[in-house]
Amino acid sequence: MSLVKEIYPDEDAAHLARRIIEAFWPDGRGPRQRVRPPGNTLWSQKDSVVITYGNTVIDGQHKPLDLLHDFLRRYLADAITGVHILPFFPFTSDDGFAVTDYEQVNSALGDWADVNRIGEHFRLMSDLVLNHMSAQSKWFNEYLQGHEPYDRYFFEASPEDDLRSVVRPRAHDLLREVETPNGKRHVWCTFSYDQIDLNYANPDVLVDMIRIMRLHVANGVRIVRLDAVAFVWKEIGTSCIHLPQTHAIVRLMRLLCDYAEERIVLLTETNVPNAENLSYFGNRNEAHAIYNFSLPPLMLHALLNGTSRYLNTWQMAMPPAQLGCAYLNFSASHDGIGMRPAEGLLSEDEIDSVIATVQRFGGLVSMRAMPDGTRRAYELNIAYYEAMKGTVDGPDEWQFERFIASQTIMMGLEGIPAFYVHSLLGTGNDHEGVEKTGHNRAINRKRWDYEELRGLLDDPETTHARVLAELKRRIILRAGQTAFHPNATQFTLQFGDKLFGFWRQSLDRDQSIFAIHNVTNEEISIPAVSINLITGMAWKDLLSGEAIDPARGDIIFAPYQCRWISNRG
């Protein structure tokens, strides 16, 4: 009730609360008797996620979701526990994020039964695209015709309004002029003119979105990703990002999830600077999990420059996730490598150097508009495997090793590891896709012919097979180590700028792992005694199988070699 009052002080809070409860529990079962308390049992070291489109694999004959199910069972079932299927609804643009119908599965992919089938074997994540809807959706068509209740479903503003403080993720004009029975109106378009922002000042919109969230859960979804949630509440004259009502909406959704019988994880997607991103943990009462958005650009910088300086500084200042919360670690996604999360962590010169290097390796840059009218890099568009093609000095022979190091760093850090499918497959830049669509992001959204892909993966000599085999080996190995529980203790180690290291200790303090990574193309050695390994224990590098004597000699790291030095496993 208090959250409803906080969001909608002028509404009948008791009545609106009943509507929200009925939307989330439409079958009349109602919530649990007690809220699920915060804890560390919603995930474990065995958990990992693959991020994929529903039509990443196609063959022109079978439903893509059927092929995806076969691919997942055939190649990933022994390593990966969770699957994030990117928006699988009917859409008009942005590869699914301009939804026309929240309640149907895109018939070009399959149907709800196909989604359910994947959810029977994997922990299923889906997108609640709650900030905006397609300009060609039924809801927006009804708005354009002035039909109730949709005439109040989309956010309007005026070109005369003071919009100078609005934080923008894109470079186009914010408002789109449309004709309605009531005359010209200007609707708010945070991301594109085909993605019209919803008006959450109207409580009917929130009730509908909660009803749609329940539909996801009823179809087997157990991780609900709140897409672009930071922008949902607007107030003219403000930044229109991270407003108090936005955080209150996340808290309300978290409360619903914690009262559900199903074990639901609420994940926020906020591609923003680090401190802003961390705010979505709230006080253990907002997101269960948040993306670790600063990791991809900082790790990219470290491996391109051969220095862990900035990665180390950032990691030392990162707080452990609160009880009942976890980071979702990743290096790449369908959107590219966000540069906003590097703001304040890398200097402008360092950012410019990374951008120039990525462009040299065939990458592209997407821009956003600044309040002063200038443009700034918003994200880098490149396949992560191609981003590892070399260093700031140019391409070299260490691409495979450098890429595997990037994924190993990511999977060892506190949190749950998430792998974009094209990273698991070592997919290269899809310039043909960019030319065909006209969108930079298509460079990292290749659609594989399934027969061709299977042929490549079944040949152990191909890059794709080598990448998948080595990453799976490490994922499976990681799953057996209690020190890699997403909430296990973590301390950053100091070995100079050429190594990046951290210590993980299991919740029961039984296992320690010293995860140390060479971020250079040089051979590096450190004295074994510098790691502070407890004597009297048998220490071993889990990745190589090599025994480590804490009292004798040096530990040598080949270029980009990673070591998980443990007293167990």
Side-chain angles (χ1 to χ4, degrees):
M1 188 83 74
S2 61
L3 282 172
V4 174
K5 287 181 180 179
E6 184 177 343
I7 304 167
Y8 302 107
D10 298 328
E11 297 290 329
D12 181 337
H15 175 67
L16 183 52
R18 284 195 298 273
R19 290 182 63 201
I20 288 171
I21 290 171
E22 289 168 2
F24 199 67
W25 287 282
D27 53 9
R29 284 186 303 168
R32 290 159 45 101
Q33 291 298 309
R34 295 182 180 179
V35 69
R36 184 176 289 107
N40 297 326
T41 60
L42 284 174
W43 39 70
S44 77
Q45 67 275 7
K46 296 179 182 179
D47 287 314
S48 55
V49 176
V50 59
I51 305 165
T52 180
Y53 280 100
N55 60 351
T56 291
V57 288
I58 54 177
D59 68 359
Q61 300 179 34
H62 300 87
K63 291 185 291 185
L65 285 174
D66 270 349
L67 294 179
L68 177 61
H69 182 245
D70 183 82
F71 167 77
L72 293 169
R73 295 293 302 279
R74 185 184 300 269
Y75 293 104
L76 296 180
D78 57 343
I80 297 288
T81 60
V83 179
H84 174 197
I85 307 178
L86 290 155
F88 45 78
F89 312 100
F91 72 98
T92 51
S93 65
D94 199 18
D95 278 344
F97 285 93
V99 178
T100 60
D101 188 338
Y102 287 117
E103 301 183 45
Q104 301 297 320
V105 173
N106 182 359
S107 60
L109 300 177
D111 52 34
W112 278 116
D114 300 311
V115 174
N116 299 158
R117 194 174 303 114
I118 294 173
E120 290 172 1
H121 297 102
F122 299 90
R123 192 175 196 179
L124 188 59
M125 184 196 304
S126 69
D127 290 277
L128 191 65
V129 186
L130 74 170
N131 179 70
H132 48 263
M133 200 171 188
S134 169
Q136 299 176 54
S137 64
K138 176 184 175 182
W139 287 12
F140 193 62
N141 284 331
E142 292 289 302
Y143 163 86
L144 291 176
Q145 296 175 63
H147 293 166
E148 295 182 350
Y150 301 104
D151 57 338
R152 296 178 55 243
Y153 264 47
F154 295 89
F155 194 83
E156 299 176 346
S158 166
E160 305 304 316
D161 289 333
D162 181 4
L163 305 177
R164 290 172 298 176
S165 299
V166 176
V167 172
R168 301 296 317 285
R170 298 290 185 271
H172 68 270
D173 290 339
L174 179 61
L175 303 181
R176 172 186 169 183
E177 183 180 290
V178 295
E179 289 283 351
T180 76
N182 299 314
K184 286 183 170 59
R185 292 290 185 269
H186 292 85
V187 291
W188 195 282
C189 303
T190 297
F191 292 95
S192 80
Y193 285 161
D194 189 40
Q195 294 164 295
I196 316 299
D197 285 38
L198 290 160
N199 177 23
Y200 279 86
N202 175 4
D204 292 346
V205 173
L206 179 60
V207 172
D208 255 339
M209 203 54 64
I210 287 170
R211 178 180 57 80
I212 291 160
M213 184 165 72
R214 165 51 65 179
L215 176 66
H216 287 227
V217 174
N219 280 283
V221 171
R222 293 298 177 263
I223 306 175
V224 178
R225 177 184 185 268
L226 302 182
D227 176 65
V229 66
F231 299 96
V232 297
W233 197 276
K234 287 89 174 168
E235 285 187 6
I236 303 302
T238 75
S239 65
C240 296
I241 187 172
H242 313 311
L243 296 187
Q245 294 90 338
T246 294
H247 284 281
I249 287 171
V250 176
R251 291 201 300 276
L252 175 61
M253 290 181 166
R254 164 71 179 262
L255 196 61
L256 293 172
C257 292
D258 285 346
Y259 267 107
E261 290 295 336
E262 301 88 353
R263 297 168 65 81
I264 306 167
V265 171
L266 197 66
L267 170 68
T268 50
E269 185 266 334
T270 52
N271 188 2
V272 293
N274 195 50
E276 298 172 35
N277 186 39
L278 289 170
S279 72
Y280 283 86
F281 277 145
N283 184 21
R284 301 189 308 174
N285 59 356
E286 292 192 32
H288 294 98
I290 64 172
Y291 283 84
N292 208 347
F293 269 111
S294 294
L295 176 60
L298 290 178
M299 187 162 61
L300 177 64
H301 174 275
L303 291 163
L304 293 182
N305 287 273
T307 175
S308 64
R309 175 185 171 190
Y310 296 99
L311 193 59
N312 257 319
T313 300
W314 164 72
Q315 191 57 54
M316 287 175 62
M318 282 291 282
Q322 304 169 49
L323 182 66
C325 301
Y327 294 106
L328 188 79
N329 295 324
F330 71 112
S331 64
S333 76
H334 60 292
D335 278 348
I337 303 164
M339 295 309 293
R340 285 215 67 204
E343 292 175 11
L345 301 173
L346 293 176
S347 69
E348 290 301 315
D349 287 343
E350 297 287 354
I351 289 174
D352 289 344
S353 174
V354 168
I355 292 172
T357 304
V358 164
Q359 289 177 314
R360 195 186 317 175
F361 297 159
L364 305 169
V365 183
S366 294
M367 310 299 287
R368 69 184 181 100
M370 303 298 291
D372 62 2
T374 61
R375 295 187 177 193
R376 192 171 183 178
Y378 179 71
E379 69 183 15
L380 307 181
N381 304 112
I382 190 169
Y384 211 82
Y385 189 76
E386 291 298 327
M388 298 289 100
K389 195 172 187 175
T391 68
V392 291
D393 296 323
D396 60 23
E397 71 271 28
W398 299 107
Q399 182 175 12
F400 178 86
E401 291 80 6
R402 186 181 294 112
F403 175 76
I404 296 298
S406 74
Q407 305 307 291
T408 306
I409 291 171
M410 182 269 289
M411 70 175 80
L413 285 166
E414 176 194 341
I416 303 164
F419 302 85
Y420 187 40
V421 66
H422 289 304
S423 293
L424 287 174
L425 298 174
T427 306
N429 291 333
D430 185 9
H431 288 288
E432 183 180 337
V434 175
E435 292 178 12
K436 188 179 297 184
T437 65
H439 297 297
N440 287 357
R441 287 177 167 179
I443 199 170
N444 196 27
R445 298 179 178 181
K446 180 179 174 64
R447 304 300 186 238
W448 276 104
D449 175 82
Y450 195 30
E451 183 177 354
E452 177 190 2
L453 178 61
R454 286 187 58 185
L456 291 168
L457 294 179
D458 293 343
D459 178 356
E461 299 302 315
T462 66
T463 295
H464 310 288
R466 291 176 61 220
V467 167
L468 182 60
E470 185 55 28
L471 289 182
K472 280 182 60 177
R473 183 181 80 84
R474 298 185 182 209
I475 294 168
I476 293 169
L477 182 60
R478 177 191 178 279
Q481 316 308 319
T482 55
F484 282 142
H485 185 285
N487 300 112
T489 298
Q490 176 173 291
F491 285 111
T492 308
L493 304 173
Q494 300 299 321
F495 296 113
D497 290 350
K498 294 184 177 182
L499 296 173
F500 177 57
F502 45 87
W503 171 65
R504 303 295 308 278
Q505 185 182 55
S506 60
L507 296 171
D508 62 6
R509 299 190 178 185
D510 184 59
Q511 184 185 33
S512 286
I513 295 178
F514 292 85
I516 308 172
H517 318 82
N518 184 355
V519 297
T520 77
N521 54 14
E522 308 167 20
E523 182 177 280
I524 307 293
S525 66
I526 58 174
V529 295
S530 67
I531 305 181
N532 296 323
L533 303 178
I534 298 173
T535 57
M537 290 186 176
W539 294 90
K540 181 176 76 170
D541 176 9
L542 300 176
L543 291 173
S544 69
E546 179 185 351
I548 304 294
D549 186 340
R552 259 190 275 176
D554 289 345
I555 301 175
I556 297 173
F557 291 79
Y560 303 106
Q561 183 176 2
C562 305
R563 292 186 182 273
W564 289 344
I565 300 172
S566 176
N567 62 329
R568 296 281 186 271

